[in-house]
Amino acid sequence: MQDCKRPRIGIIGTGAIGGFYGLMLARAGFEVHFLLRSEYAAVAEHGLQVNSAVHGKLQLPRVNAWQNVEQMPACDWLLVGSKTTSNAELAPVIARVAAPGAKVVLLQNGLAVEESLRPLLPNSLHLLGGLCFICANRAAPGVIEHQALGAVHLGYHSGPGGSEAQGQAIAEEGAALFRAAGLESTTMASLQQARWQKLVWNVPYNGLAVLLNAGTRRLMGNAESCALIHAIMLEVVEGAAACGHPVPVGYADKLLAVTDDMPDYLPSMYHDFALQRPLELEAIYAAPLAAASAAGCELPKVRMLHQALGFLERG
């Protein structure tokens, strides 16, 4: 019988996010299984490597790597590290590899990602949101560069948990897994508020990195772009408040200061655009714009950013 204190963990989407957290959990002694596609051969042969400015050079030479979900063992926790653009096609994969009563954690950016995936999953599965505060990117197959941070904040969304207290207990169980791997992790009473707070950073930096072809260091080093970032942040804060999820006073200024102290970072949307992958425009822009508009709040700068990114993606 499997030790209930050491649940089996599955990683769906072994990119920068899934690879980093999966490696950290495996190094902490958890049984972790990685579902891969194009990088399967490289990871199966050479393992996973994280070059971390925080933890040093980390290697997982032997990886439980799977290319076929039909052969992958059932997992008690599933961490979804893929982009929101692939959630619909991943739903059958998640259902196939989930153990009875499994907990599914969406380690994704954006708003309403749980709401869009929930109808596609069995009612027996718990669904949680996980907000990753990390600077990391995939450098090569099985190789991840980790520049800074690494915290994960979890919130319960839905499932057979029943009461709010039961959902909070499940979220705490998940946070304990990350803490056991040496990572900061807390639970969130309001998942929606937490997602709005994450958008305060993601909306300006992801979009402007693509439009201005610049990382955080250049964006913060220019007075005009820095002022634009701040103005967009304040619009997102306004949208959050209109939707009933007020952001703490001074939060935008705090994020600016934190980003100014970070090493230079190219957000995930920059890499997606450079590699001609679909951009997460629905989750990061369209969903919050729609929610704010429904609450009677228009966000003109965010809408212009969304429209410009849409033009580039279609081009």
Side-chain angles (χ1 to χ4, degrees):
M1 180 180 294
Q2 189 178 349
D3 185 351
C4 64
K5 294 183 180 179
R6 287 288 173 179
R8 180 182 290 146
I9 300 170
I11 306 297
I12 308 298
T14 308
I17 298 299
F20 173 81
Y21 290 110
L23 179 145
M24 295 297 287
L25 288 162
R27 281 172 55 86
F30 292 100
E31 180 185 345
V32 183
H33 294 263
F34 298 82
L35 184 63
L36 301 112
R37 292 182 180 177
S38 60
E39 298 189 12
Y40 169 77
V43 173
E45 182 177 357
H46 303 293
L48 282 170
Q49 176 178 319
V50 171
N51 301 319
S52 174
V54 179
H55 307 285
K57 186 175 181 179
L58 306 177
Q59 289 186 305
L60 191 64
R62 285 191 289 272
V63 175
N64 295 319
W66 304 89
Q67 191 174 29
N68 187 348
V69 69
E70 301 295 329
Q71 299 174 340
M72 190 173 172
C75 296
D76 306 297
W77 284 85
L78 290 170
L79 309 184
V80 181
S82 58
K83 296 298 177 65
T84 58
T85 50
S86 62
N87 277 1
E89 65 187 67
L90 282 179
V93 174
I94 293 170
R96 171 62 182 80
V97 78
K103 292 86 173 176
V104 181
V105 183
L106 301 185
L107 301 178
Q108 298 176 327
N109 290 321
L111 195 67
V113 292
E114 291 83 15
E115 286 79 359
S116 62
L117 185 61
R118 177 74 265 181
L120 306 178
L121 296 178
N123 293 332
S124 60
L125 300 184
H126 300 276
L127 184 60
L128 298 88
L131 302 185
C132 305
F133 296 87
I134 185 171
C135 297
N137 65 276
R138 188 183 70 86
V143 180
I144 298 157
E145 297 292 331
H146 173 222
Q147 294 97 332
L149 308 176
V152 184
H153 296 173
L154 298 181
Y156 189 83
H157 180 268
S158 58
S163 69
E164 182 178 335
Q166 288 174 310
Q168 186 71 9
I170 291 171
E172 177 55 38
E173 182 185 343
L177 300 180
F178 289 105
R179 289 197 294 267
L183 299 165
E184 178 191 343
S185 188
T186 60
T187 60
M188 304 171 295
S190 172
L191 178 57
Q192 293 308 309
Q193 180 174 14
R195 286 206 168 278
W196 271 106
Q197 287 188 203
K198 186 81 183 296
L199 285 168
V200 176
W201 194 95
N202 274 318
V203 167
Y205 284 104
N206 273 284
L208 291 178
V210 173
L211 293 178
L212 302 181
N213 189 29
T216 55
R217 187 64 56 84
R218 283 183 60 206
L219 290 173
M220 295 302 298
N222 179 277
E224 285 79 9
S225 58
C226 194
L228 179 58
I229 290 167
H230 189 242
I232 295 172
M233 282 183 166
L234 293 182
E235 272 199 0
V236 179
V237 169
E238 183 181 353
C243 292
H245 304 294
V247 171
V249 176
Y251 188 70
D253 293 317
K254 178 183 176 181
L255 289 184
L256 283 173
V258 169
T259 308
D260 203 27
D261 287 338
M262 282 175 16
D264 190 32
Y265 178 61
L266 291 166
S268 60
M269 191 171 287
Y270 179 95
H271 295 285
D272 290 339
F273 182 72
L275 296 172
Q276 298 184 331
R277 296 189 296 236
L279 306 184
E280 294 184 287
L281 300 185
E282 174 63 32
I284 296 179
Y285 296 96
L289 280 168
S293 182
C297 178
E298 294 302 321
L299 312 177
K301 293 182 178 64
V302 177
R303 189 169 298 281
M304 287 178 65
L305 193 54
H306 181 216
Q307 291 168 331
L309 291 166
F311 172 83
L312 287 179
E313 183 176 48
R314 288 187 296 274

